[in-house]
Amino acid sequence: MSVRPATATATPSAPSAPSAPSALRTPSAPSALRAPAPAADGACRPGPLAVLGRDVTVPLVTGGEIGYAALDYAASAPALQRVWDDVAAYAPYYGSVHRGAGYLSQLSTDLFESSRAAVRTFLDCREDDQLLFTRSTTDSLNLLASALPAGCRVFVFETEHHASLLPWRGAELTVLDAPRTPDGAVRALERALADRDPHGPALVCVTGASNVTGELWPVRELAAAAHAHGARIVLDAAQLAPHHPVSLRETGADWVALSGHKLYAPFGSGVLAGRADWLRAAEPYLAGGGASRTVARRAEGGGAGGLDVEWHTTEARHEAGSPNVIGAYAIASACRALTEAGFPGLVAREQRLLAEVRAGLADIPQVRVLSLFGDDAPRVGVLSFTVDGWNSSHVAAALSAEYGIGVRDGLFCAHPLVRTLLGAGRGEAGECGAPEPAPGGSAPLNAVRVSFGAGTPDEHIGRFLAAVRELIRDGARLRYRTEGGRCVPDRG
């Protein structure tokens, strides 16, 4: 099992409120400073959580308007209404963090650090783990890459998102072939690690849930294999954390990275949490205020001088500059909201929606669902497919323009994986979003991705399946053309 079991006993409790500021303990205060709502019964069948945009209507090229069906959660999930309300309540009290003596600065500092504590609880961090606020999963993994010890070897599967594939260019990188079973992934990693120098540092980077297929990876087993061969492992939980509880303790991962914008929290913040030793030993990710404890002018002969700097060893070492307190608070608010809503119930509801999507697409002969581990492999609410006789960009464009349904098409920033799933050669070109081949060329490599989560109404799933069936049966109502690398309705 790759993640913590979705049971009510595994649901973490909300953090205690900051004690210093008292004026915000009023009806208008941010919810982090109020008593948490009682947790929902995980055995009940919850409806969708309230999200921003649920009442937005969009125009159809065929005339009129329709409520927008947001089915691209894997790119950016809509913000929870709870998160937006919490941020709005805090906004008048916004102040500088870790720097000011004023009341609002002290309040913002308390809120920033209590947000760190809330996310630590949500991820079930170990006592000595550090939790850094970053900009995104990509930023988190680049930060970890900058902290690798000299001579570190990095192992990744070709199935990773580019955020997990590309940051390790300064290290000796081993890219493993796409496995076809979870057990095959563990065996491939064990073979690769056994062939390395056992005395040097090594890091394995693996996703928890694929951003292309939604399939769950055997994180706990991969972590055990890494540790058995003296390596460490970082979990890319960008697609996992919004759909399933994640526990650093239970997975055995050394680090976990995630993005707020996929966890129903806007404002450009991310998280890197895990072991502190490599982070403390590394040069700061960014040099500047906040990362430094003391700075002094160094006197040298001839009048020239440099600077002597003592860097922090806490999270501040890699959080230079003014912290994104609103981004951090938004992530913490989302973590509390998912916990208080009853995460096990949310997981069960999403699995019901996923079963409906899989069954509906299986009934359409022209549709081919992409999978590494097979049709029965456990997944989160992310699924990609192709349609015989259709360019995927054409399908996505028609779903948007004619039905008001937002999905994703392209290679999903996972080019090697999509090439493998589509049976293309490793060197075969594929451009994200290119709807038509070049003159004389073959059809571009791309697929359609539908993704959903805690805020998705049942009706959106039914609309999506009906639209795909109708498109394939009757064809698009309009002609489409290429414009700026995208497939758009031809209004000429």
Side-chain angles (χ1 to χ4, degrees), residues 5-6 27 30 33 52 119 133 152 187 206 239 249 275 310 320 329 452 464 483:
L33 309 182
L52 293 183
V119 182
F133 284 115
C152 186
R187 290 194 299 270
V206 68
Q239 298 296 340
R249 295 176 192 267
R275 296 181 62 163
E310 180 186 357
Y329 183 41
F452 42 90
F464 164 74
E483 182 178 292

Side-chain angles (χ1 to χ4, degrees), residues 238-454:
Q239 298 296 340
L240 181 61
H243 303 278
H244 206 296
V246 175
S247 168
L248 264 172
R249 295 176 192 267
E250 294 189 16
T251 61
D254 296 280
W255 294 276
V256 62
L258 59 84
S259 293
H261 72 100
K262 299 183 191 297
L263 194 66
Y264 311 102
F267 307 111
S269 193
V271 167
L272 175 68
R275 296 181 62 163
D277 52 350
W278 284 8
L279 298 172
R280 286 174 178 157
E283 288 295 305
Y285 184 48
L286 297 174
S292 56
R293 186 190 301 274
T294 63
V295 180
R297 180 79 179 271
R298 182 193 309 135
E300 295 183 358
L307 296 173
D308 286 321
V309 183
E310 180 186 357
W311 303 105
H312 281 293
T313 58
T314 62
E315 287 93 343
R317 184 182 189 88
H318 297 290
E319 292 180 342
S322 295
N324 179 3
V325 59
I326 287 181
Y329 183 41
I331 291 181
S333 174
C335 292
R336 282 189 292 267
L338 293 172
T339 298
E340 293 168 11
F343 215 154
L346 297 176
V347 172
R349 178 178 182 273
E350 182 182 307
Q351 288 299 307
R352 177 174 60 81
L353 296 180
L354 178 61
E356 183 178 345
V357 172
R358 296 176 72 173
L361 292 180
D363 284 340
I364 306 174
Q366 298 89 338
V367 169
R368 175 195 167 201
V369 174
L370 303 184
S371 175
L372 270 177
F373 300 152
D375 291 340
D376 295 329
R379 303 176 187 239
V380 298
V382 178
L383 186 147
S384 297
F385 63 95
T386 59
V387 179
D388 292 344
W390 286 73
N391 185 286
S392 295
S393 292
H394 190 187
V395 175
L399 286 173
S400 175
E402 301 179 25
Y403 298 92
I405 298 171
V407 296
R408 173 82 182 271
D409 67 282
L411 300 178
F412 318 122
C413 293
H415 294 190
L417 171 57
V418 179
R419 289 192 183 102
T420 295
L421 293 172
L422 295 180
R426 289 180 179 173
E428 189 169 342
E431 180 182 350
C432 287
E436 300 295 342
S442 60
L445 297 172
N446 54 16
V448 180
R449 183 180 70 190
V450 57
S451 53
F452 42 90

Side-chain angles (χ1 to χ4, degrees), residues 4 13 33 70 94 122 132 134 179 183 201 210 212 241 315 323 358 367-368 373 392 396 415-416 450 469 492:
R4 186 167 70 234
S13 59
L33 309 182
Y94 173 77
F122 182 77
L132 312 178
T134 65
D183 288 343
S210 170
V212 177
E315 287 93 343
R358 296 176 72 173
V367 169
R368 175 195 167 201
F373 300 152
S392 295
H415 294 190
V450 57
R469 284 193 292 265

Side-chain angles (χ1 to χ4, degrees), residues 169-233:
R169 289 171 293 174
E172 184 178 349
L173 180 64
T174 298
V175 180
L176 306 177
D177 291 343
R180 287 299 180 171
T181 65
D183 288 343
V186 177
R187 290 194 299 270
L189 179 62
E190 288 176 333
R191 288 192 298 270
L193 291 173
D195 290 340
R196 74 177 182 92
D197 179 356
H199 300 293
L203 177 71
V204 177
C205 182
V206 68
T207 188
S210 170
N211 78 303
V212 177
T213 68
E215 291 166 311
L216 295 172
W217 277 64
V219 177
R220 182 180 297 165
E221 293 79 3
L222 291 168
H227 294 157
H229 289 84
R232 300 187 182 188
I233 188 168

